[in-house]
Amino acid sequence: MSSNSLPHPLVSSEWLHQNIDMPNLVILDATIKKATSEGDDYFKGLQIPKARFIDIKGNFSDSQSAMPNTLPSPKAFTEAAQALGINKDSKIIVYDRLGIYAAPRVWWMFRAMGHEHIAVLDGGLPAWISEGFKTEASKTKTYESGDFIANFQDEMVVGLEEVLQNITTKRHSVLDARSSGRFHGTAPEPRADVKGGHIPNSINLPYTELLQDGKMKQVEELRAIFKSLKLPNTPRIYSCGTGITACIIMLAAALTGFSDHAIYDGSWTEWGQAEHVPIAT
């Protein structure tokens, strides 16, 4: 039976299949290539029926920033969302071809722009296909302009200076979604001009620990993972390489009921190139 609301913030392929004709539903394909992989052409050329491609690295990133993937201005975000035919009352389901990778970034961006009617498809396109649901060839289309208007929630994003001050104030817990090797500087960064290591006092939580077979782990498992970190009762900041997989941690935390958190948008690509910041290994 169809519902007129989203079981926010994560939905199953079965739910989407049952509700794909829901009024005002918009399906977004957020696929990007992994920075740490050479391939990732899985299911290339296929999409969920009615899906629209959202270009994270194009018009949904700040073209003036030296850092990759950073959040565009509210004005630019509004224009890009309207061009995709997204409206104020759109109910958005976002997925990617890698399971769960870039889709949580889009979930966070829309929430940071004041749009809460958005959910991530658990397991993405691989789960959709494995459960026997139909696909179609990827299409490039133009859409009737939507009436979406961004309402920027500045508490959901932080910059380098705020993270730098936090090393002293410790008002926030900082969680880093990169691999243990990159966090400790024993594995190379995918970008040659970025130093290894991590933000002092930050805690390593590789995003892969939150996933199983391309899907998010069960809520009780996620709660146990966060509990094992022995975090203080403070707000959280999530970081990673370029602000993509940090959003996977945020999504996992949201599933456990946690909401006082933000993304360090420049993430390690910014910190690892900055000259005036400390680095731990």
Side-chain angles (χ1 to χ4, degrees):
M1 182 175 178
S2 294
S3 166
N4 287 322
S5 61
L6 299 179
H8 185 76
L10 194 69
V11 300
S12 67
S13 293
E14 177 63 31
W15 184 93
L16 179 57
H17 175 68
Q18 292 293 330
N19 291 275
I20 200 164
D21 293 320
M22 176 192 290
N24 305 320
L25 186 72
V26 174
I27 303 171
L28 297 180
D29 177 352
T31 302
I32 62 171
K33 184 180 180 297
K34 283 187 179 181
T36 55
S37 176
E38 295 297 323
D40 300 336
D41 284 334
Y42 313 116
F43 310 116
K44 186 175 183 179
L46 296 178
Q47 66 178 32
I48 293 173
K50 304 181 182 180
R52 309 173 189 186
F53 178 66
I54 178 167
D55 190 357
I56 294 175
K57 291 185 172 291
N59 51 5
F60 281 87
S61 288
D62 181 2
S63 61
Q64 304 303 312
S65 174
M67 300 300 113
N69 310 324
T70 49
L71 196 66
S73 69
K75 180 178 183 294
F77 192 96
T78 293
E79 292 171 352
Q82 288 180 351
L84 269 179
I86 295 173
N87 295 310
K88 296 173 184 176
D89 61 357
S90 290
K91 298 176 179 69
I92 302 170
I93 304 298
V94 58
Y95 74 92
D96 57 68
R97 295 200 304 263
L98 300 176
I100 290 182
Y101 183 66
R105 172 74 183 188
V106 174
W107 168 78
W108 167 74
M109 286 198 295
F110 270 93
R111 287 180 57 79
M113 293 297 173
H115 191 83
E116 296 191 353
H117 300 296
I118 182 167
V120 171
L121 180 64
D122 196 14
L125 187 60
W128 178 266
I129 290 174
S130 72
E131 293 176 38
F133 299 126
K134 292 181 180 179
T135 60
E136 63 183 19
S138 299
K139 302 172 183 177
T140 301
K141 293 179 62 179
T142 56
Y143 304 94
E144 182 179 346
S145 183
D147 63 10
F148 176 89
I149 300 292
N151 179 21
F152 184 47
Q153 310 294 303
D154 60 356
E155 73 278 4
M156 293 191 69
V157 57
V158 298
L160 183 145
E161 292 302 325
E162 293 168 271
V163 178
L164 182 60
Q165 292 171 14
N166 188 70
I167 294 173
T168 302
T169 64
K170 299 181 182 178
R171 291 175 181 166
H172 297 74
S173 298
V174 180
L175 276 64
D176 189 324
R178 293 175 302 149
S179 68
S180 175
R182 291 173 65 190
F183 183 82
H184 292 291
T186 59
E189 286 294 315
R191 296 164 183 81
D193 54 347
V194 177
K195 297 182 281 289
H198 59 268
I199 299 164
N201 302 330
S202 62
I203 298 165
N204 191 207
L205 178 56
Y207 76 92
T208 52
E209 293 186 10
L210 304 170
L211 306 176
Q212 185 170 352
D213 299 327
K215 292 185 176 182
M216 192 70 74
K217 289 183 176 179
Q218 295 298 309
V219 172
E220 289 308 312
E221 294 178 272
L222 298 176
R223 286 199 177 105
I225 290 169
F226 283 109
K227 185 177 180 180
S228 71
L229 300 177
K230 297 179 178 172
L231 300 171
N233 186 25
T234 58
R236 298 174 191 164
I237 295 170
Y238 307 118
S239 180
C240 59
T242 64
I244 299 293
T245 59
C247 299
I248 297 176
I249 301 185
M250 178 179 273
L251 176 61
L255 290 168
T256 70
F258 194 86
S259 60
D260 192 359
H261 45 197
I263 297 294
Y264 170 27
D265 205 21
S267 279
W268 189 253
T269 300
E270 180 177 42
W271 195 276
Q273 294 180 85
E275 297 297 330
H276 67 293
V277 300
I279 292 177
T281 55

